[in-house]
Amino acid sequence: MPTRCQVLHAWTRQVQTLLPTVHASRAATMAAFALGVLWGGTVTLLKVAAALPLAATDASIERRWRRFLANDRVTLPTLWRPLLPSLLAGLGQRDVLFVFDPTPYRDCATLLCLGVVCRGRVLPVAWRAMPQQRAWPERLEAILDAMLAD
């Protein structure tokens, strides 16, 4: 069985291959972050950092991810959309089940997530953050249409 370090390196190479137009260090940071979320079972940056076999301190890794997530070049069109066809290719020509999940986040937002069920888990395909305590800029039907078009 491969070690976590071997899995991290292999996954990093895979993501860099799937994102040839993205800067290599940006793709590697995204790969490490995704694997840390998976292994850590959370999106809390410090816990994600602790789940990874990296030489830097957890606080240093957390700062790197804060900069990564605040970077204007880290966008849905540049990172997620190019990965999605490869991630969904394993579904082949089978019927797919889409799931829509509106999740409230504190009292400030509602996270709308559209995902496809794959092996008992939901792979997010599209998402939006909408205001919670005021009117949305458009109707839910229009938002869902845009998410499906993505």
Side-chain angles (χ1 to χ4, degrees):
M1 177 180 271
T3 66
R4 283 189 171 214
C5 197
Q6 290 170 326
V7 171
L8 175 62
H9 289 296
W11 172 239
T12 300
R13 284 190 303 274
Q14 180 77 26
V15 170
Q16 288 172 332
T17 301
L18 293 172
L19 298 172
T21 61
V22 175
H23 193 276
S25 64
R26 193 169 297 136
T29 301
M30 186 181 129
F33 182 72
L35 208 50
V37 167
L38 179 71
W39 286 340
T42 182
V43 293
T44 305
L45 296 180
L46 197 55
K47 291 179 181 178
V48 171
L52 291 167
L54 298 175
T57 65
D58 293 347
S60 173
I61 297 167
E62 179 188 16
R63 285 191 304 273
R64 180 191 316 163
W65 284 329
R66 285 192 188 283
R67 289 189 307 271
F68 173 75
L69 294 170
N71 188 338
D72 291 338
R73 293 186 204 119
V74 175
T75 64
L76 189 66
T78 60
L79 293 176
W80 183 245
R81 287 189 186 132
L83 276 178
L84 202 52
S86 298
L87 295 174
L88 294 176
L91 297 176
Q93 297 298 316
R94 294 183 281 174
D95 289 337
V96 294
L97 176 64
F98 278 96
V99 177
F100 176 68
D101 178 26
T103 302
Y105 177 72
R106 297 187 184 153
D107 63 348
C108 60
T110 298
L111 304 175
L112 306 177
C113 182
L114 182 67
V116 63
V117 176
C118 179
R119 297 185 189 127
R121 299 190 182 266
V122 176
L123 176 65
V125 175
W127 56 89
R128 300 283 188 281
M130 303 302 291
Q132 193 178 78
Q133 301 298 326
R134 59 183 198 273
W136 291 358
E138 52 191 334
R139 296 180 52 83
L140 180 59
E141 180 182 0
I143 295 168
L144 276 173
D145 286 344
M147 291 170 73
L148 284 167
D150 284 347

